[in-house]
Amino acid sequence: LRGPLGPATSSDFVTDNVFRSAPQVFKKPMRALGQIDYAYSKAHIRLAGDFQQANFIYNRFGRTLVGLHLAGAQLPSLEGCAFDSCYLAGVFVGDQNTNLALVTQVTVTLPPDATFPATTQVSDMLAEAAYAPLRPHETVGIYAGPGTISVTNSTFSQPTTAGHTTYPYTATRYRQIGIRSLGTSPSTYEQNTFEDLHTGIELSGTAGFETELTNNAFRNCEVGLRLG
């Protein structure tokens, strides 16, 4: 997202696009030593470097490890976007200098799968996530960083309750988490729905900071709100 006049700004838009990978259908990239391994999109969009800001509106992300990866970039607006089968995270803030400001009317359908896809890309991506660690056997809808964030009128769910009720209670239990926030700035979560998830919202590092939750619905979640 860099044109002849410089990096993207708040007046630029990424609108009405579909980002999806289907490694079982399309020819996969070759791997060394004859390894048999599906290759998904590692991240459909990765924002870093001198990317300043732009608005993402009505885009669809699916069948990927991470839908939208913010690595040192600022994203002022994420509106009307849909995420499904993003196996590690729909939106992932992987840098402490990154900020995701406004999320509204977003639909996140977390995968109910008991295991990750058969690809070594998963371990590669887990190793890269140092600041905001991604965890094995876990998927997150929106993984927010330390900046102020507002999430409104959005839905986080999985397609079947069997995705969490049938798993054993062990340390490696696969978990679906709607929102995880590092919570180091005032944030707002209003009129969102969390349904059939392991955890609706998980907030950490919130001591001394203001977080406001208003008119959210938590339905059939094992844990609606987790603090600390």
Side-chain angles (χ1 to χ4, degrees), residues 19-120:
F19 302 89
R20 198 167 188 85
S21 61
Q24 294 95 332
V25 178
F26 299 112
K27 184 176 178 62
K28 59 191 177 188
M30 295 180 63
R31 293 183 62 88
L33 304 177
Q35 290 177 285
I36 299 175
D37 189 7
Y38 284 127
Y40 292 77
S41 291
K42 191 174 183 180
H44 282 316
I45 295 179
R46 185 177 187 272
L47 304 179
D50 62 359
F51 181 90
Q52 293 178 2
Q53 52 188 356
N55 300 283
F56 283 71
I57 302 176
Y58 300 120
N59 299 287
R60 296 185 61 88
F61 302 83
R63 302 282 290 178
T64 179
L65 300 189
V66 173
L68 180 58
H69 182 192
L70 307 182
Q74 309 303 314
L75 187 63
S77 176
L78 186 66
E79 179 181 351
C81 294
F83 299 83
D84 72 274
S85 297
C86 296
Y87 296 107
L88 290 175
V91 179
F92 174 54
V93 175
D95 186 279
Q96 61 183 345
N97 298 314
T98 296
N99 187 37
L100 172 62
L102 175 63
V103 177
T104 185
Q105 296 180 341
V106 165
T107 300
V108 179
T109 305
L110 289 96
D113 311 60
T115 59
F116 287 133
T119 170
T120 55

Side-chain angles (χ1 to χ4, degrees), residues 91 93 99-100 131-132 135 140-151 177-189 199-207 209-211 213 225-228:
V91 179
V93 175
N99 187 37
L100 172 62
Y131 165 68
R135 299 171 183 171
V140 183
I142 294 178
Y143 199 145
T148 298
I149 182 173
S150 172
V151 183
I177 298 175
I179 298 173
R180 170 179 287 142
S181 176
L182 300 181
T184 56
S185 295
S187 297
T188 302
Y189 306 95
T199 303
I201 299 177
E202 181 179 298
L203 304 177
S204 61
T206 57
F209 298 96
E210 180 182 354
T211 298
L213 292 92
L225 175 64
R226 183 184 298 275
L227 303 175

